Amino acid sequence: MSTAAALPWKDRKRYLWIISAVLPALPLLSLALWSMTRNDLSLWLTLLVVYGVIPVLDLVLGEDRSNPPEEAVPALEADPWYRWLVYAAVPLVYLTVIVGTVFAMTAELGLLGYLGLALSVGWIGGAGINIGHELGHKKGLFDRTMARLSLAASGYGHFQIEHVRGHHRDVATPEDSASSRLGESYYRFITREIPGGFSRAWRLESERLARQGKGPWTPGNEILQPALVTVLLYGGLTLWLGWQALPFLLLQAAFAYTLLSAANYVEHYGLLRDKVGEGRYERPQPRHSWNSNHIVSNLVLYQLERHSDHHAHPTRSYQALRHFEDAPQLPTGYFGMFLVALFPPLWRRVMDPRVLAHARGDLSRINIDPASADRYQNGHRPVAA
Amino acid sequence: MTRWRCPECGYRYDEIAGDLHEGFAPGMKLCGLPTDWTCPDCGIIPAREFVPDADGRNPEADKR
Ligand SMILES: [Zn+2]
């Protein structure tokens, strides 16, 4: 201990966060590969990485539960290096959307290549939402503007309001459209989460503008501002490249939407905050979010998977997020869990026993999907994984 | 008491100044803010849980 105290703490991940910053350029690599090989399969490189390489690396390299010492956190939070690594990713998201769309419209691609490219660009739109998420929690106008720009690349500009003012307030309650419920499949969750998020954002922003004495259709509307960026981006590319660009852009954006849904789906499945009064819930604690300390997927996502600390302390920066022993732990990182979520019976087999164990079998402390409540209440216990 | 602070993230609400972005006019009391309104920066602390903010105190000191 004495030798450890003598050495100042060093962040071993300081330079590894570059991985999160360059991820949005991954489809550009596959475009280079296609140009050399003319093989449509090369446009599936991004999907191979996110659904193949990263889940396997998570299983092989496992977790890192170490935390920065509290005395190092103020300097870690103030270090501009970490912030710039997030800013730097925003232009890369735009570059990938623009170059990817131009490529899809001009290169001679088969259906396989077209689909691979659309999903790859959509993945980067999803990464852009993650970037917008990190920046959207910061207090400065520059950070929040960059956040909305990053979100606008996939047409998700309303996320900032929806997430910070809606989801964080209501997380792990039945009222939250972005908290999945025990028994709710990923597919059913999507149909509740996407419209629910949009209507909550619109309601919150309308209320704010109403307090200013304005209606919702005003230039000050912070949902319409990024929406205008999306219209200019997609409209500009369509005018430039022809109408065929629009379905490509909408396809990749739709895929980006489902990726955010996947993240929301795995982050709070079944977890429930206690009521402490009429319409009031206890403050969000680490136990109200599923956490993952898996090394590789965290390095790709600006440590988004340390989600328990994030919800307990939403303005804490990614590089300073902590592991908590009392937080429920996902069996693997998000990328692997996204794959599991695609197969609802498998998902229930993996996650339901964990939800029940976390709630110590007390169904009243679980956020249960009303439509599947019977399955759990009739004494049936899901089989252990 | 006219100055209040979010105990989670250090956001300050000064009743004399209000918060124009949030639509709270100068002079708006903390107790007059909507009950479902939460801190605009962290999103998780309702107005009734704000703490008095002593003048000259650095809110970042309490940041966790
Ligand atoms: Zn706050």
Side-chain angles (χ1 to χ4, degrees):
Chain A
M1 201 60 214
S2 58
T3 49
L7 293 168
W9 179 78
K10 267 205 148 137
D11 180 13
R12 287 180 300 137
K13 294 187 176 149
R14 182 181 171 87
Y15 298 104
L16 291 174
W17 293 121
I18 293 173
I19 297 170
S20 291
V22 298
L23 173 77
L26 188 56
L28 300 180
L29 192 64
S30 70
L31 294 183
L33 214 59
W34 187 91
S35 301
M36 286 185 287
T37 63
R38 303 278 153 161
N39 186 339
D40 276 10
L41 274 177
S42 53
L43 296 176
W44 287 80
L45 173 73
T46 303
L47 291 126
L48 177 71
V49 169
V50 295
Y51 289 123
V53 176
I54 294 174
V56 168
L57 286 177
D58 264 350
L59 292 175
V60 173
L61 296 178
E63 301 180 59
D64 174 9
R65 297 195 171 204
S66 68
N67 291 333
E70 272 313 302
E71 62 272 16
V73 167
L76 194 62
E77 285 264 356
D79 190 334
W81 162 258
Y82 297 96
R83 187 86 304 108
W84 278 99
L85 279 184
V86 191
Y87 300 149
V90 178
L92 285 182
V93 171
Y94 274 79
L95 191 66
T96 291
V97 171
I98 293 167
V99 173
T101 308
V102 172
F103 208 87
M105 294 304 111
T106 53
E108 298 282 314
L109 299 179
L111 183 63
L112 186 70
Y114 180 91
L115 203 60
L117 183 54
L119 297 181
S120 301
V121 173
W123 240 99
I124 301 321
I129 299 175
N130 184 41
I131 294 157
H133 172 258
E134 176 63 29
L135 292 172
H137 276 291
K138 297 295 159 294
K139 301 190 180 209
L141 182 64
F142 180 73
D143 290 62
R144 289 183 183 180
T145 305
M146 289 296 273
R148 291 198 185 104
L149 276 176
S150 192
L151 297 166
S154 55
Y156 225 106
H158 63 286
F159 178 75
Q160 164 141 35
I161 293 164
E162 145 61 15
H163 181 81
V164 176
R165 308 300 297 276
H167 173 57
H168 271 269
R169 183 190 65 187
D170 299 336
V171 66
T173 71
E175 287 82 349
D176 186 23
S177 53
S179 295
S180 58
R181 302 162 177 164
L182 183 73
E184 187 175 34
S185 74
Y186 168 54
Y187 303 103
R188 206 144 49 78
F189 176 69
I190 290 178
T191 64
R192 185 168 69 87
E193 185 244 17
I194 292 176
F198 190 80
S199 60
R200 178 165 57 187
W202 189 259
R203 192 168 59 246
L204 286 164
E205 184 64 349
S206 300
E207 285 169 4
R208 183 184 73 84
L209 292 164
R211 292 196 298 263
Q212 289 186 347
K214 296 176 189 160
W217 299 97
T218 160
N221 184 319
E222 293 177 356
I223 294 172
L224 295 179
Q225 288 167 358
L228 181 65
V229 175
T230 305
V231 168
L232 289 174
L233 176 66
Y234 289 13
L237 284 168
T238 303
L239 284 176
W240 174 27
L241 299 163
W243 67 267
Q244 295 92 334
L246 195 58
F248 179 85
L249 286 161
L250 295 179
L251 180 61
Q252 64 83 26
F255 189 53
Y257 273 47
T258 68
L259 287 169
L260 174 64
S261 298
N264 275 330
Y265 183 70
V266 307
E267 281 163 355
H268 308 282
Y269 181 73
L271 302 177
L272 182 66
R273 279 150 69 194
D274 282 338
K275 273 209 157 132
V276 293
E278 215 168 297
R280 290 169 56 183
Y281 291 91
E282 62 180 316
R283 198 184 287 188
Q285 303 289 331
R287 65 177 178 274
H288 300 126
S289 311
W290 290 98
N291 193 67
S292 161
N293 291 302
H294 288 81
I295 297 168
V296 177
S297 48
N298 267 306
L299 285 175
V300 174
L301 292 174
Y302 296 107
Q303 204 149 249
L304 176 69
E305 302 175 349
R306 280 204 166 168
H307 213 64
S308 292
D309 196 14
H310 170 63
H311 269 274
H313 305 290
T315 54
R316 215 174 160 99
S317 300
Y318 69 95
Q319 70 272 20
L321 291 172
R322 295 158 293 181
H323 158 74
F324 285 94
E325 282 302 324
D326 62 335
Q329 302 292 325
L330 291 172
T332 189
Y334 281 12
F335 297 78
M337 294 311 290
F338 289 179
L339 284 173
V340 174
L342 295 176
F343 306 97
L346 178 64
W347 173 268
R348 285 200 295 269
R349 200 181 159 84
V350 171
M351 287 304 294
D352 287 10
R354 286 181 160 80
V355 175
L356 287 158
H358 180 66
R360 299 206 164 85
D362 183 350
L363 294 181
S364 72
R365 306 194 69 183
I366 296 175
N367 188 8
I368 301 190
D369 172 38
S372 30
D374 286 353
R375 187 188 321 152
Y376 299 96
Q377 271 152 4
N378 291 344
H380 170 84
R381 288 286 180 279
V383 283
Chain B
M1 185 56 63
T2 67
R3 291 163 62 88
W4 302 87
R5 181 168 50 87
C6 169
E8 169 55 34
C9 74
Y11 165 82
R12 277 173 159 160
Y13 183 72
D14 184 344
E15 293 177 348
I16 293 170
D19 183 325
L20 297 181
H21 183 264
E22 285 296 311
F24 303 136
M28 174 73 97
K29 296 273 187 214
L30 186 85
C31 57
L33 304 189
T35 50
D36 63 347
W37 181 88
T38 52
C39 169
D41 285 346
C42 67
I44 61 172
I45 307 294
R48 65 177 172 273
E49 290 178 23
F50 276 33
V51 295
D53 182 38
D55 282 346
R57 179 115 172 253
N58 175 14
E60 297 298 312
D62 292 324
K63 200 169 159 185
R64 309 213 314 117

